[in-house]
Amino acid sequence: MKKLINHPESVVREELEGIALAHPDLVKVHFDPNFIYRADAPVQGKVAIVSGGGSGHEPMHGGFVGKGMLDAACPGAVFTSPTPDQMLEAAKTVHGGAGVLFIVKNYTGDVMNFEMAADLAMAEGIEVQSVIIDDDVAVENSLYTAGRRGVGTTVLAEKICGGAAEAGYSLSQLVDLCRKVNGWGRSMGMALTSCTVPHVGKPTFDLPEDQMEIGIGIHGEPGRTRLPLKTADEIVELLMQPILSDLPFKAGDEVLLFVNSMGGTPPIELYIVYRKAHQIAEQHGLKVVRNLIGPYITSLEMAGCSITLLKMDDELLRFWDAPVKTPALRWG
Amino acid sequence: MKKLINHPESVVREELEGIALAHPDLVKVHFDPNFIYRADAPVQGKVAIVSGGGSGHEPMHGGFVGKGMLDAACPGAVFTSPTPDQMLEAAKTVHGGAGVLFIVKNYTGDVMNFEMAADLAMAEGIEVQSVIIDDDVAVENSLYTAGRRGVGTTVLAEKICGGAAEAGYSLSQLVDLCRKVNGWGRSMGMALTSCTVPHVGKPTFDLPEDQMEIGIGIHGEPGRTRLPLKTADEIVELLMQPILSDLPFKAGDEVLLFVNSMGGTPPIELYIVYRKAHQIAEQHGLKVVRNLIGPYITSLEMAGCSITLLKMDDELLRFWDAPVKTPALRWG
């Protein structure tokens, strides 16, 4: 296993220590239970947004904590759901009197634990609402889920809802907005290589040198199909077709196009993927009005990419464009 | 060869087409000769900054074109110097009447071609000055250079000089500033894996599963030594020691700490590297006042990292913090 780590058991703790050393102006890190939270939390009168999930998908979620995005993020062990005590402590720490929104990717453990944390927080008098993200069109059910998995749209929902919370949206308005983003976003990913979970020490699956996996999940769970390796343009066709046919995207719609590295795919390849995805979107009459290109929701060092299309309207554009200042996303 | 590409010969062209489609608000792309330039070029009265080099190191340099950083970037074929006609056309396109600064990494082909382009531009009445970046402490000479290679400090020099050009620095002031940055920056990198040049189709070198290469260059050229794989903390010690002993960094100095992915190393590992590098810097009495963490100067999909330390003063801090709006760096 070739990784820049010290010991499989210390990966998450040391990564968090690195984040704490690197970004004290933006975030603080609480250990035992582990969560990353805004340096200026709680922000009084603002709805607090909390997310989380297994580690190994960085910068999601911890890299998205800061003004204009998340108030806190709870990292589990690698590819393992965080626990309710993390979520509860995070919610209590960042709650500013206006309630807490949990943004939860649709994995069985995440959903169950965020639900338990919501119950615990409400028992302590904190109003909590949860929205589930389930945007992956690859498979209907998976090893880790009932229903579709939550993938790339999560990043976009955290940015857009973060902007809206900053602008004064109430908890119920944020729930509506987050559901709208989830309803309007669709994703699909693929892998050229497997990844290796540190404490396992060997690749999650074997993928021969001439094969690829289409519709992969972010934990290396199987996708739709294993195929002989194809060109980038053919691969993008295979990813875009199910996305475009799943949502009623129609000519004239404005969209955000998000091309994501699974961790091991470098920028030069992402732009080749972006090129074809943009062309296909335009051939369908869609207008690509915003984009995001880079490693934002990874699967450790897996080589591969995912594509997310999100239909945009004035409300989504406003909060996508709003200022954000986090370790991994910064503008405005 | 597992890559998201269509054909080895079309990699650079299609990457540039992707950039043109993705960022029309920030940059334009000129083809034949190839260069990326600011969408609002030429900026009258401002010194124009032009850089370039082989492709395969993205986002450097093309991803750093935009307000507050480069005016143009010339990409060669993968790991191959761009040609003087690219640099000349780029300089003519972005020249705003106040001269042009070439920021050149110390590789024999780059230095020779930028020199020729400077002569050609000056023959056309454009004042050009060049500054060579040679910050890599790993080896004194290499396969591609006489003297030290130019690596991570290039990114920092482009940002800082870009900020100063925007603030009205003259060409001679920028030359002094760029030399100061180069004089105060030191880097060293390492590889866990090789990379594969598309038109070669097989890894540049073989690195057994239990070995790593310390002091690697950004083209996969050999480094100082090949060693059995070590822990992240031990690796960071091996990179930091030559950096710290090369420059007279002294207790109390303020520094920028840049931890860079070689392309295939994901964020979770970079933060483990950052943690130790920050700790070592502090043990030496240095004060880490800024940082940069991510894939900024890559070597295709190579797994590994590089570390750059740059001594900072008020002038460097001012222009590091200045607003920047490029595809790959954006703040302020």
PDB file of all heavy atoms in Angstrom, chain B residues 3 18 33 64 68 93 101 123 130 140 142 150-151 155 163 169 200 242 244 248 289 291 297 301 303 312 321:
ATOM      1  N   LYS B   3      -5.838   6.255 -18.597  1.00  0.00           N
ATOM      2  CA  LYS B   3      -6.008   7.699 -18.513  1.00  0.00           C
ATOM      3  C   LYS B   3      -7.335   8.070 -19.157  1.00  0.00           C
ATOM      4  O   LYS B   3      -7.793   7.395 -20.077  1.00  0.00           O
ATOM      5  CB  LYS B   3      -4.894   8.405 -19.301  1.00  0.00           C
ATOM      6  CG  LYS B   3      -3.521   8.376 -18.675  1.00  0.00           C
ATOM      7  CD  LYS B   3      -2.548   9.092 -19.598  1.00  0.00           C
ATOM      8  CE  LYS B   3      -1.125   8.990 -19.099  1.00  0.00           C
ATOM      9  NZ  LYS B   3      -0.856   9.804 -17.923  1.00  0.00           N
ATOM     10  N   GLY B  18     -11.005  22.279 -23.437  1.00  0.00           N
ATOM     11  CA  GLY B  18     -11.773  22.199 -22.190  1.00  0.00           C
ATOM     12  C   GLY B  18     -11.646  23.471 -21.370  1.00  0.00           C
ATOM     13  O   GLY B  18     -12.642  23.991 -20.849  1.00  0.00           O
ATOM     14  N   PRO B  33      -0.069  29.308 -32.842  1.00  0.00           N
ATOM     15  CA  PRO B  33       0.561  28.666 -31.684  1.00  0.00           C
ATOM     16  C   PRO B  33      -0.337  28.702 -30.451  1.00  0.00           C
ATOM     17  O   PRO B  33      -1.160  29.610 -30.300  1.00  0.00           O
ATOM     18  CB  PRO B  33       1.815  29.517 -31.468  1.00  0.00           C
ATOM     19  CG  PRO B  33       1.446  30.871 -31.962  1.00  0.00           C
ATOM     20  CD  PRO B  33       0.519  30.637 -33.122  1.00  0.00           C
ATOM     21  N   PHE B  64      -3.297  29.439 -13.971  1.00  0.00           N
ATOM     22  CA  PHE B  64      -2.942  30.631 -13.194  1.00  0.00           C
ATOM     23  C   PHE B  64      -3.033  31.901 -14.026  1.00  0.00           C
ATOM     24  O   PHE B  64      -2.490  32.944 -13.636  1.00  0.00           O
ATOM     25  CB  PHE B  64      -1.526  30.492 -12.625  1.00  0.00           C
ATOM     26  CG  PHE B  64      -1.341  29.288 -11.734  1.00  0.00           C
ATOM     27  CD1 PHE B  64      -0.175  28.542 -11.766  1.00  0.00           C
ATOM     28  CD2 PHE B  64      -2.358  28.888 -10.854  1.00  0.00           C
ATOM     29  CE1 PHE B  64      -0.005  27.432 -10.944  1.00  0.00           C
ATOM     30  CE2 PHE B  64      -2.198  27.780 -10.035  1.00  0.00           C
ATOM     31  CZ  PHE B  64      -1.016  27.049 -10.076  1.00  0.00           C
ATOM     32  N   GLY B  68      -4.572  39.329 -11.469  1.00  0.00           N
ATOM     33  CA  GLY B  68      -3.790  39.129 -10.260  1.00  0.00           C
ATOM     34  C   GLY B  68      -2.724  38.054 -10.356  1.00  0.00           C
ATOM     35  O   GLY B  68      -2.026  37.791  -9.377  1.00  0.00           O
ATOM     36  N   THR B  93       0.374  39.615 -27.698  1.00  0.00           N
ATOM     37  CA  THR B  93      -1.064  39.689 -27.413  1.00  0.00           C
ATOM     38  C   THR B  93      -1.353  40.388 -26.089  1.00  0.00           C
ATOM     39  O   THR B  93      -2.326  41.139 -25.977  1.00  0.00           O
ATOM     40  CB  THR B  93      -1.668  38.267 -27.388  1.00  0.00           C
ATOM     41  OG1 THR B  93      -1.432  37.653 -28.660  1.00  0.00           O
ATOM     42  CG2 THR B  93      -3.166  38.293 -27.100  1.00  0.00           C
ATOM     43  N   LEU B 101       7.279  40.547 -18.412  1.00  0.00           N
ATOM     44  CA  LEU B 101       8.155  39.707 -17.588  1.00  0.00           C
ATOM     45  C   LEU B 101       7.927  38.249 -17.955  1.00  0.00           C
ATOM     46  O   LEU B 101       6.788  37.769 -17.926  1.00  0.00           O
ATOM     47  CB  LEU B 101       7.840  39.912 -16.100  1.00  0.00           C
ATOM     48  CG  LEU B 101       8.586  38.972 -15.134  1.00  0.00           C
ATOM     49  CD1 LEU B 101      10.083  39.253 -15.123  1.00  0.00           C
ATOM     50  CD2 LEU B 101       8.016  39.082 -13.717  1.00  0.00           C
ATOM     51  N   ALA B 123      13.083  42.767 -30.673  1.00  0.00           N
ATOM     52  CA  ALA B 123      13.262  43.223 -32.052  1.00  0.00           C
ATOM     53  C   ALA B 123      11.989  43.878 -32.583  1.00  0.00           C
ATOM     54  O   ALA B 123      12.029  44.692 -33.506  1.00  0.00           O
ATOM     55  CB  ALA B 123      13.661  42.053 -32.942  1.00  0.00           C
ATOM     56  N   SER B 130      13.530  38.547 -18.230  1.00  0.00           N
ATOM     57  CA  SER B 130      13.253  37.177 -17.785  1.00  0.00           C
ATOM     58  C   SER B 130      13.841  36.945 -16.405  1.00  0.00           C
ATOM     59  O   SER B 130      14.914  37.455 -16.091  1.00  0.00           O
ATOM     60  CB  SER B 130      13.876  36.160 -18.751  1.00  0.00           C
ATOM     61  OG  SER B 130      13.253  36.246 -20.013  1.00  0.00           O
ATOM     62  N   GLU B 140      21.955  19.280  -7.853  1.00  0.00           N
ATOM     63  CA  GLU B 140      22.572  20.491  -8.406  1.00  0.00           C
ATOM     64  C   GLU B 140      22.385  20.579  -9.915  1.00  0.00           C
ATOM     65  O   GLU B 140      22.159  21.638 -10.472  1.00  0.00           O
ATOM     66  CB  GLU B 140      24.061  20.530  -8.047  1.00  0.00           C
ATOM     67  CG  GLU B 140      24.339  21.208  -6.723  1.00  0.00           C
ATOM     68  CD  GLU B 140      23.691  22.593  -6.599  1.00  0.00           C
ATOM     69  OE1 GLU B 140      23.776  23.382  -7.547  1.00  0.00           O
ATOM     70  OE2 GLU B 140      23.075  22.868  -5.557  1.00  0.00           O
ATOM     71  N   SER B 142      20.640  18.157 -13.400  1.00  0.00           N
ATOM     72  CA  SER B 142      19.735  17.042 -13.637  1.00  0.00           C
ATOM     73  C   SER B 142      19.700  16.726 -15.118  1.00  0.00           C
ATOM     74  O   SER B 142      20.345  17.389 -15.928  1.00  0.00           O
ATOM     75  CB  SER B 142      18.329  17.402 -13.149  1.00  0.00           C
ATOM     76  OG  SER B 142      17.699  18.250 -14.085  1.00  0.00           O
ATOM     77  N   GLY B 150      13.515  24.278 -11.609  1.00  0.00           N
ATOM     78  CA  GLY B 150      12.475  25.177 -11.115  1.00  0.00           C
ATOM     79  C   GLY B 150      11.229  24.384 -10.802  1.00  0.00           C
ATOM     80  O   GLY B 150      10.705  23.677 -11.668  1.00  0.00           O
ATOM     81  N   VAL B 151      10.757  24.476  -9.561  1.00  0.00           N
ATOM     82  CA  VAL B 151       9.570  23.705  -9.183  1.00  0.00           C
ATOM     83  C   VAL B 151       8.583  24.592  -8.407  1.00  0.00           C
ATOM     84  O   VAL B 151       8.159  25.637  -8.923  1.00  0.00           O
ATOM     85  CB  VAL B 151       9.954  22.393  -8.451  1.00  0.00           C
ATOM     86  CG1 VAL B 151      10.530  21.378  -9.439  1.00  0.00           C
ATOM     87  CG2 VAL B 151      10.946  22.640  -7.314  1.00  0.00           C
ATOM     88  N   VAL B 155       5.035  28.648  -8.699  1.00  0.00           N
ATOM     89  CA  VAL B 155       3.623  28.974  -8.440  1.00  0.00           C
ATOM     90  C   VAL B 155       3.526  30.215  -7.551  1.00  0.00           C
ATOM     91  O   VAL B 155       2.725  31.126  -7.800  1.00  0.00           O
ATOM     92  CB  VAL B 155       2.919  27.781  -7.750  1.00  0.00           C
ATOM     93  CG1 VAL B 155       1.474  28.132  -7.408  1.00  0.00           C
ATOM     94  CG2 VAL B 155       2.998  26.530  -8.623  1.00  0.00           C
ATOM     95  N   GLY B 163       0.332  39.878  -8.363  1.00  0.00           N
ATOM     96  CA  GLY B 163      -0.270  40.883  -7.485  1.00  0.00           C
ATOM     97  C   GLY B 163       0.448  42.216  -7.577  1.00  0.00           C
ATOM     98  O   GLY B 163      -0.180  43.283  -7.586  1.00  0.00           O
ATOM     99  N   TYR B 169       3.586  47.866 -10.173  1.00  0.00           N
ATOM    100  CA  TYR B 169       5.045  47.698 -10.215  1.00  0.00           C
ATOM    101  C   TYR B 169       5.550  47.851 -11.655  1.00  0.00           C
ATOM    102  O   TYR B 169       4.934  47.372 -12.598  1.00  0.00           O
ATOM    103  CB  TYR B 169       5.434  46.305  -9.698  1.00  0.00           C
ATOM    104  CG  TYR B 169       5.776  46.254  -8.217  1.00  0.00           C
ATOM    105  CD1 TYR B 169       5.053  46.972  -7.278  1.00  0.00           C
ATOM    106  CD2 TYR B 169       6.824  45.462  -7.757  1.00  0.00           C
ATOM    107  CE1 TYR B 169       5.367  46.904  -5.928  1.00  0.00           C
ATOM    108  CE2 TYR B 169       7.138  45.379  -6.404  1.00  0.00           C
ATOM    109  CZ  TYR B 169       6.405  46.104  -5.498  1.00  0.00           C
ATOM    110  OH  TYR B 169       6.709  46.036  -4.163  1.00  0.00           O
ATOM    111  N   VAL B 200       4.197   7.991 -24.807  1.00  0.00           N
ATOM    112  CA  VAL B 200       5.137   6.904 -24.524  1.00  0.00           C
ATOM    113  C   VAL B 200       4.354   5.633 -24.168  1.00  0.00           C
ATOM    114  O   VAL B 200       4.663   4.540 -24.644  1.00  0.00           O
ATOM    115  CB  VAL B 200       6.114   7.275 -23.389  1.00  0.00           C
ATOM    116  CG1 VAL B 200       7.023   6.100 -23.028  1.00  0.00           C
ATOM    117  CG2 VAL B 200       6.947   8.491 -23.790  1.00  0.00           C
ATOM    118  N   PRO B 242      16.739  19.072   3.872  1.00  0.00           N
ATOM    119  CA  PRO B 242      17.548  19.781   2.862  1.00  0.00           C
ATOM    120  C   PRO B 242      17.028  21.188   2.564  1.00  0.00           C
ATOM    121  O   PRO B 242      17.813  22.085   2.251  1.00  0.00           O
ATOM    122  CB  PRO B 242      17.422  18.901   1.611  1.00  0.00           C
ATOM    123  CG  PRO B 242      16.884  17.592   2.084  1.00  0.00           C
ATOM    124  CD  PRO B 242      16.096  17.875   3.314  1.00  0.00           C
ATOM    125  N   LEU B 244      15.516  23.202   4.783  1.00  0.00           N
ATOM    126  CA  LEU B 244      15.856  24.064   5.918  1.00  0.00           C
ATOM    127  C   LEU B 244      17.349  24.339   5.998  1.00  0.00           C
ATOM    128  O   LEU B 244      17.765  25.411   6.442  1.00  0.00           O
ATOM    129  CB  LEU B 244      15.378  23.418   7.224  1.00  0.00           C
ATOM    130  CG  LEU B 244      13.865  23.479   7.431  1.00  0.00           C
ATOM    131  CD1 LEU B 244      13.446  22.531   8.551  1.00  0.00           C
ATOM    132  CD2 LEU B 244      13.415  24.903   7.743  1.00  0.00           C
ATOM    133  N   PRO B 248      19.252  30.028   4.632  1.00  0.00           N
ATOM    134  CA  PRO B 248      19.467  30.423   6.036  1.00  0.00           C
ATOM    135  C   PRO B 248      18.165  30.826   6.719  1.00  0.00           C
ATOM    136  O   PRO B 248      18.033  31.929   7.229  1.00  0.00           O
ATOM    137  CB  PRO B 248      20.438  31.596   5.911  1.00  0.00           C
ATOM    138  CG  PRO B 248      20.160  32.181   4.565  1.00  0.00           C
ATOM    139  CD  PRO B 248      19.699  31.056   3.691  1.00  0.00           C
ATOM    140  N   VAL B 289       2.970  31.599   8.332  1.00  0.00           N
ATOM    141  CA  VAL B 289       1.953  32.648   8.290  1.00  0.00           C
ATOM    142  C   VAL B 289       0.988  32.489   7.119  1.00  0.00           C
ATOM    143  O   VAL B 289      -0.082  33.100   7.118  1.00  0.00           O
ATOM    144  CB  VAL B 289       2.599  34.054   8.250  1.00  0.00           C
ATOM    145  CG1 VAL B 289       3.320  34.335   9.569  1.00  0.00           C
ATOM    146  CG2 VAL B 289       3.563  34.194   7.071  1.00  0.00           C
ATOM    147  N   ASN B 291      -0.236  29.402   3.843  1.00  0.00           N
ATOM    148  CA  ASN B 291       0.026  28.085   3.267  1.00  0.00           C
ATOM    149  C   ASN B 291      -0.786  27.877   2.001  1.00  0.00           C
ATOM    150  O   ASN B 291      -1.702  28.653   1.687  1.00  0.00           O
ATOM    151  CB  ASN B 291      -0.236  26.974   4.291  1.00  0.00           C
ATOM    152  CG  ASN B 291      -1.628  27.048   4.869  1.00  0.00           C
ATOM    153  OD1 ASN B 291      -2.614  27.101   4.143  1.00  0.00           O
ATOM    154  ND2 ASN B 291      -1.725  27.093   6.196  1.00  0.00           N
ATOM    155  N   ILE B 297       1.303  22.030  -8.941  1.00  0.00           N
ATOM    156  CA  ILE B 297       2.348  21.787  -9.934  1.00  0.00           C
ATOM    157  C   ILE B 297       2.543  20.281  -9.958  1.00  0.00           C
ATOM    158  O   ILE B 297       3.224  19.715  -9.102  1.00  0.00           O
ATOM    159  CB  ILE B 297       3.641  22.591  -9.658  1.00  0.00           C
ATOM    160  CG1 ILE B 297       4.810  22.075 -10.485  1.00  0.00           C
ATOM    161  CG2 ILE B 297       3.988  22.704  -8.215  1.00  0.00           C
ATOM    162  CD1 ILE B 297       6.076  22.943 -10.405  1.00  0.00           C
ATOM    163  N   GLU B 301      -0.132  11.953 -13.415  1.00  0.00           N
ATOM    164  CA  GLU B 301      -0.853  11.272 -12.329  1.00  0.00           C
ATOM    165  C   GLU B 301       0.091  10.699 -11.284  1.00  0.00           C
ATOM    166  O   GLU B 301      -0.305   9.848 -10.473  1.00  0.00           O
ATOM    167  CB  GLU B 301      -1.746  10.169 -12.918  1.00  0.00           C
ATOM    168  CG  GLU B 301      -1.020   8.905 -13.347  1.00  0.00           C
ATOM    169  CD  GLU B 301      -0.225   9.034 -14.655  1.00  0.00           C
ATOM    170  OE1 GLU B 301      -0.169  10.132 -15.228  1.00  0.00           O
ATOM    171  OE2 GLU B 301       0.348   8.007 -15.076  1.00  0.00           O
ATOM    172  N   ALA B 303       1.891   9.752  -8.043  1.00  0.00           N
ATOM    173  CA  ALA B 303       1.575   9.852  -6.617  1.00  0.00           C
ATOM    174  C   ALA B 303       2.834  10.315  -5.895  1.00  0.00           C
ATOM    175  O   ALA B 303       3.933   9.817  -6.156  1.00  0.00           O
ATOM    176  CB  ALA B 303       1.103   8.510  -6.072  1.00  0.00           C
ATOM    177  N   MET B 312       8.795  34.947   3.985  1.00  0.00           N
ATOM    178  CA  MET B 312       7.884  36.043   3.649  1.00  0.00           C
ATOM    179  C   MET B 312       8.321  37.322   4.359  1.00  0.00           C
ATOM    180  O   MET B 312       8.884  37.281   5.451  1.00  0.00           O
ATOM    181  CB  MET B 312       6.463  35.693   4.097  1.00  0.00           C
ATOM    182  CG  MET B 312       5.892  34.431   3.494  1.00  0.00           C
ATOM    183  SD  MET B 312       5.630  34.493   1.699  1.00  0.00           S
ATOM    184  CE  MET B 312       4.033  35.340   1.603  1.00  0.00           C
ATOM    185  N   ASP B 321      -1.524  38.040  -0.591  1.00  0.00           N
ATOM    186  CA  ASP B 321      -2.903  38.217  -0.144  1.00  0.00           C
ATOM    187  C   ASP B 321      -3.766  38.977  -1.152  1.00  0.00           C
ATOM    188  O   ASP B 321      -4.996  38.971  -1.029  1.00  0.00           O
ATOM    189  CB  ASP B 321      -2.925  38.976   1.194  1.00  0.00           C
ATOM    190  CG  ASP B 321      -2.407  38.131   2.354  1.00  0.00           C
ATOM    191  OD1 ASP B 321      -2.351  36.891   2.213  1.00  0.00           O
ATOM    192  OD2 ASP B 321      -2.063  38.715   3.397  1.00  0.00           O
TER     193      ASP B 321
END
